[in-house]
Amino acid sequence: MDNHGYCGVLLSLTLLSLAIHGSFCFPEINGDNKGSSRTTTDKGKGWAVLVAGSSGYDNYRHQADICHAYQILKKGGLKDENIIVFMYDDIAYNSENPRKGVIINKPNGPDVYKGVPKDYTGDHVNARNLYAVILGDKSALTGGSGKVLSSGPNDHVFIYYADHGSVGLLGMPSDYVYAKDLIRVLQKKHASKGYKSMVFYLEACEAGSMFEGLLSSNLKESSYGTYCPGDPSLPDEFDTCLGDLYSISWMEDCDISDLRKETLENQYERVRRRTTNSHVMQYGDMSHKQEFLFAYMGADLSNRSHTSTSDISSPSISRAVNQRDTKLLYFQQKLQKAPTGSQEKQGAQKQLLLEIAHRKNVDYSITKLGEVLFGHEKSSNVLMNVRPQGQPVVDNWDCFKNFVSLSPMNIYEKYCGHLSAYGMKYTRAIANICNAGITTEKMVAASDQTCANKPNV
């Protein structure tokens, strides 16, 4: 099996440190770190950027994850002025939320919404603002609080992003974060000496593909929602997943551990053991593995119950749901719970049938498009091809963007309809169409031919 799509990543850079299905680590600006554990004597401020890239009540878990992360950082001593939060903010007071004004990240868990800064909400949660925040460029912002990552060469930066993802991109409510653009922004931040070290935790399907061709990576798996309907511990009032498996694993580890004594490597191993449905991976500068989490997340000194030996591989998660299927599960739950013969049940049934029809339409459209472009025999091999490790997922990013971007230039959406979080699983196929040298004109003609006769489902 090829390994191109892990959903949790840790990337760690001394100039840029990150995590995929967990984390990434980037190299250190001063270049003098030899892998020793960072202590509290290490000077520099802590900064954080927290991003929930989705909207809609069925995506409850992403904003719950981000709010929980904020509470960890706040208790750890990071100041609100140094924590920048992106969240659509349509969950806490949503008409479907059974606990108005409250968001929880696990069954019977505490309210994680209270006190969270509303820096970038609604339409201000977009790729342009994210890039401007990371670069510290206030002039490029459109709306929001105006807070940016004003970190310097002695500072430590933590970025955490939770959302839907696919090959070469991450979701946003109204646009996408493309791998090439994100890498460019991180490289620019590095060149400007905008941090001493950076750690990036990423929860998204095929998260590793964001750095394919830049860092060695494994990239082809789905992210999983957890604390979902069907889990015996979930209160019956919830129809949606409360968290994501990788995310709740690292955060629940933080909740019970002394971050002054736990290293990035310690947390990676604990989270890896608990995240059994997909692989947690590390990328970047691995000399940072022995750094203490305290440097990036602070530490809750008031909690005397911390134990440095606690292991969150227990409790186990009784049910994890593929991120691509959480919306379907949400509609199924609404239909099941609605009173027989009620308008609510009719509405829920309509929503479920529309979602099923949409998924069938996307499956048909992509399959047929490949056959129109490459013929029936070759289509599957071309669309599903996985490039050798070390190569970017696509060579022509303009071609890729023109086909999938959330804009009037989106060829697929213009002719075939909304791609959606479910349809994002086909972005590798779209990248391969571009890699095969198909011109815009040919893609337009093939899309028109494919979707003019799409089945009525």
Side-chain angles (χ1 to χ4, degrees):
M1 180 185 91
D2 67 86
N3 30 10
H4 279 246
Y6 293 102
C7 275
V9 177
L10 174 103
L11 177 57
S12 181
L13 320 138
T14 303
L15 282 185
L16 181 61
S17 292
L18 307 179
I20 297 189
H21 205 144
S23 51
F24 299 90
C25 296
F26 292 90
E28 188 160 306
I29 290 178
N30 297 330
D32 57 359
N33 184 286
K34 302 301 182 182
S36 60
S37 297
R38 181 170 286 136
T39 69
T40 55
T41 61
D42 186 15
K43 296 182 179 180
K45 294 181 180 178
W47 292 81
V49 180
L50 309 176
V51 185
S54 66
S55 62
Y57 188 73
D58 57 296
N59 289 315
Y60 181 110
R61 62 198 180 280
H62 298 139
Q63 292 184 49
D65 292 337
I66 292 304
C67 290
H68 188 176
Y70 166 79
Q71 302 299 341
I72 291 171
L73 299 177
K74 184 67 174 177
K75 289 177 182 177
L78 271 71
K79 299 178 180 179
D80 277 357
E81 62 192 63
N82 290 0
I83 304 174
I84 304 159
V85 179
F86 285 78
M87 58 183 289
Y88 205 83
D89 198 25
D90 60 344
I91 300 302
Y93 292 95
N94 192 290
S95 61
E96 297 190 54
N97 186 4
R99 303 182 187 181
K100 294 296 183 291
V102 172
I103 294 177
I104 62 175
N105 199 212
K106 65 178 180 180
N108 304 312
D111 177 17
V112 294
Y113 181 69
K114 185 177 181 180
V116 176
K118 313 299 191 302
D119 292 310
Y120 299 91
T121 61
D123 293 340
H124 299 149
V125 180
N126 58 59
R128 179 177 177 180
N129 278 344
L130 175 61
Y131 300 152
V133 163
I134 293 174
L135 292 174
D137 185 0
K138 291 188 176 182
S139 65
L141 292 171
T142 54
S145 69
K147 280 164 58 176
V148 295
L149 192 58
S150 301
S151 53
N154 294 318
D155 295 339
H156 314 303
V157 176
F158 174 62
I159 300 178
Y160 168 47
Y161 197 119
D163 190 31
H164 295 284
S166 190
V167 170
L169 57 83
L170 299 173
M172 277 283 189
S174 60
D175 58 358
Y176 292 125
V177 171
Y178 292 96
K180 183 180 181 181
D181 297 336
L182 179 60
I183 290 169
R184 174 184 55 80
V185 167
L186 294 176
Q187 289 175 332
K188 189 173 181 180
K189 188 69 173 179
H190 167 266
S192 68
K193 301 185 188 305
Y195 56 87
K196 183 174 185 180
S197 60
M198 177 187 288
V199 168
F200 194 132
Y201 280 18
L202 175 57
E203 169 95 53
C205 289
E206 302 180 272
S209 68
M210 294 298 292
F211 301 93
E212 190 170 2
L214 173 67
L215 301 170
S216 108
S217 55
N218 281 330
L219 316 170
K220 186 183 175 191
E221 293 181 2
S222 290
S223 179
Y224 287 81
T226 194
Y227 298 139
C228 296
D231 185 326
S233 67
L234 185 74
D236 188 61
E237 59 190 324
F238 287 97
D239 299 327
T240 188
C241 302
L242 300 183
D244 291 292
L245 183 53
Y246 162 73
S247 293
I248 64 102
S249 294
W250 76 259
M251 287 187 284
E252 290 182 7
D253 175 61
C254 289
D255 288 337
I256 63 174
S257 301
D258 187 343
L259 304 189
R260 297 168 300 172
K261 300 177 181 179
E262 183 173 1
T263 65
L264 286 166
E265 178 67 7
N266 293 152
Q267 184 165 89
Y268 163 72
E269 289 296 337
R270 292 178 179 181
V271 173
R272 181 181 61 81
R273 288 194 295 271
R274 192 182 191 192
T275 310
T276 56
N277 294 72
S278 57
H279 293 77
V280 179
M281 303 300 294
Q282 298 180 97
Y283 304 93
D285 184 352
M286 291 299 104
S287 70
H288 291 264
K289 291 190 301 182
Q290 297 308 314
E291 289 182 346
F292 293 123
L293 292 169
F294 170 70
Y296 300 95
M297 303 176 191
D300 183 3
L301 303 182
S302 66
N303 190 339
R304 303 301 181 185
S305 64
H306 286 320
T307 59
S308 60
T309 58
S310 56
D311 188 348
I312 59 153
S313 57
S314 178
S316 62
I317 296 298
S318 63
R319 187 175 193 197
V321 179
N322 189 307
Q323 281 237 46
R324 308 251 188 251
D325 296 329
T326 53
K327 190 170 188 176
L328 193 65
L329 175 64
Y330 168 63
F331 289 141
Q332 289 171 338
Q333 287 297 117
K334 289 184 66 177
L335 178 61
Q336 180 179 328
K337 290 183 177 181
T340 301
S342 66
Q343 288 188 342
E344 182 183 354
K345 198 169 193 73
Q346 292 176 5
Q349 184 177 38
K350 182 178 180 181
Q351 287 179 309
L352 178 59
L353 292 176
L354 285 173
E355 175 65 15
I356 293 172
H358 168 73
R359 292 160 71 105
K360 288 181 177 179
N361 177 53
V362 173
D363 293 340
Y364 168 84
S365 298
I366 296 296
T367 300
K368 186 64 177 178
L369 182 63
E371 292 175 354
V372 170
L373 288 171
F374 306 111
H376 181 76
E377 292 185 0
K378 295 182 179 180
S379 174
S380 180
N381 288 336
V382 174
L383 296 186
M384 302 308 295
N385 178 59
V386 177
R387 307 185 95 182
Q389 189 172 0
Q391 288 189 22
V393 295
V394 64
D395 297 320
N396 187 340
W397 283 94
D398 289 336
C399 169
F400 185 68
K401 289 181 180 181
N402 284 344
F403 204 83
V404 301
S405 66
L406 295 176
S407 74
M409 297 299 292
N410 179 336
I411 296 172
Y412 179 87
E413 190 159 309
K414 180 177 180 180
Y415 292 94
C416 301
H418 183 47
L419 193 62
S420 78
Y422 171 77
M424 287 169 69
K425 72 178 187 177
Y426 288 113
T427 57
R428 181 179 299 280
I430 293 169
N432 286 332
I433 290 173
C434 294
N435 293 334
I438 302 299
T439 64
T440 298
E441 291 74 17
K442 285 186 177 180
M443 283 198 289
V444 167
S447 298
D448 187 23
Q449 179 182 339
T450 296
C451 297
N453 299 309
K454 62 187 177 186
N456 184 22
V457 295

